[in-house]
Amino acid sequence: MKLKRNIILVGFMGIGKGTTARAFAKEYSIYNIDTDDLIESKENRKVKKIFEEDGEAYFRNLEQMTADWIESSVQGTLISSGGGFYKVDNLSKLGRVVLLDASFEWIHNRILTSDNAQKKLKKRPLFKHPKEAKKLYDERIKIYKSIADVIISVEGKSLDKIIREIAKETDA
Ligand code: S3P
């Protein structure tokens, strides 16, 4: 399959953007890239380390640089993004924005019941304290919905169903 425009997957930490993107890319034979991965290879260190050593503002600046590069250089690709990537100033120019949506409780439970729960929590500095993560979720959920071209509710759906809905809704 060939995508007419990029698809940008957005949504809260731990909702499964990476997992969904990898399944979609495999099913439809398209390229997929991840903004956190791009940043980690550019910096040659993990997101967690970047937060510890240089702080969140520095990381957000790297996200903007990544968005600028995508805008100028990436086509026909599924892009999964970090949970705060939606803040870049050119998001709508990067492609169709697809929000993966679920309640905070569902997301928290998905992380806690995953095989590598500790690893998932460890690599996400902003998910360290569930109370603070919930606050962040409440702040962001309205914004996510307002910037999305397409909203896909993921609760209770198989990965297969989710990727088919994305394909249908984006005319991919
Ligand atoms: C962040 C989400 C993370 C990562 C960073 C900040 C956020 O990505 O980019 O820790 O602000 O929500 P995931 O959504 O893949 O966890």
Side-chain angles (χ1 to χ4, degrees), residues 33-50:
I33 58 177
D34 179 272
T35 61
D36 281 346
D37 290 349
L38 290 167
I39 289 170
E40 288 185 347
S41 7
K42 180 183 169 295
E43 290 281 305
N44 193 23
R45 52 186 173 151
K46 297 284 180 195
V47 168
K48 182 173 178 272
K49 262 260 143 61
I50 301 174

Side-chain angles (χ1 to χ4, degrees), residues 1-150:
M1 173 203 288
K2 228 174 160 192
L3 294 182
K4 289 180 215 95
R5 297 175 65 196
N6 295 323
I7 295 174
I8 320 287
L9 273 191
V10 301
F12 202 67
M13 288 175 276
I15 197 160
K17 296 174 298 253
T19 306
T20 305
R22 286 188 293 275
F24 188 97
K26 182 159 185 265
E27 176 71 19
Y28 298 109
S29 293
I30 58 163
Y31 282 102
N32 97 281
I33 58 177
D34 179 272
T35 61
D36 281 346
D37 290 349
L38 290 167
I39 289 170
E40 288 185 347
S41 7
K42 180 183 169 295
E43 290 281 305
N44 193 23
R45 52 186 173 151
K46 297 284 180 195
V47 168
K48 182 173 178 272
K49 262 260 143 61
I50 301 174
F51 267 73
E52 280 165 10
E53 292 174 355
D54 291 299
E56 182 170 346
Y58 181 88
F59 178 76
R60 298 298 171 208
N61 187 45
L62 291 169
E63 290 192 308
Q64 184 61 58
M65 286 168 67
T66 305
D68 294 344
W69 174 75
I70 292 169
E71 186 183 345
S72 65
S73 312
V74 179
Q75 282 140 25
T77 298
L78 176 61
I79 298 151
S80 54
S81 66
F85 187 80
Y86 71 91
K87 295 179 190 189
V88 299
D89 63 17
N90 52 346
L91 188 73
S92 62
K93 292 193 188 137
L94 307 185
R96 298 262 293 164
V97 179
V98 174
L99 171 68
L100 298 186
D101 185 41
S103 67
F104 179 79
E105 290 67 30
W106 186 90
I107 295 170
H108 194 203
N109 195 48
R110 177 180 181 273
I111 293 182
L112 293 181
T113 56
S114 71
D115 291 342
N116 41 6
Q118 282 319 312
K119 199 173 149 218
K120 280 205 156 73
L121 284 171
K122 223 175 128 203
K123 76 172 200 194
R124 295 187 165 93
L126 297 177
F127 217 119
K128 219 167 158 186
H129 308 290
K131 263 202 183 135
E132 282 170 31
K134 166 84 167 93
K135 206 169 143 244
L136 193 61
Y137 175 93
D138 289 341
E139 280 166 26
R140 282 183 178 174
I141 191 69
K142 279 195 210 83
I143 313 174
Y144 283 141
K145 288 187 176 167
S146 73
I147 50 128
D149 296 312
V150 174

